[in-house]
Amino acid sequence: ERHTKRKSCYCITMPQNDKNCMDVYSSKRLISPYDVRPEIEIIGLAADKDSAIELVRQILTDIYVEYGTVDAGKVRAFFDHT
């Protein structure tokens, strides 16, 4: 059986704590058997780190326009709302 190299992307997720508005992980990290995490809700995907940062910026802008402020609770409300 041949092993093929998997391409990775970046996953923007709901925050795992209330200190962060969102979390960003490499998809390779999410599938690692050594880094087990509780249920993760992916809210965005990007091809590379720069694109992930741009997507987070756009999401934060959209949330700010909707609510006038940004925090973990507003991120959750925004994605529960849409």
Side-chain angles (χ1 to χ4, degrees), residues 18-55:
D18 288 333
K19 293 179 184 176
N20 300 336
C21 290
M22 289 173 263
D23 294 331
V24 179
Y25 300 101
S26 165
S27 60
K28 287 182 180 180
R29 184 170 177 196
L30 291 179
I31 62 172
S32 168
Y34 305 107
D35 190 11
V36 179
R37 296 183 181 275
E39 184 177 318
I40 292 180
E41 184 176 351
I42 297 173
I43 57 176
L45 294 172
D48 55 43
K49 190 172 183 177
D50 289 339
S51 298
I53 292 168
E54 178 59 27
L55 181 55

Side-chain angles (χ1 to χ4, degrees), residues 63-77:
I63 293 168
Y64 185 80
V65 167
E66 179 82 17
Y67 296 106
T69 187
V70 177
D71 58 34
K74 296 291 189 277
V75 172
R76 291 185 192 288

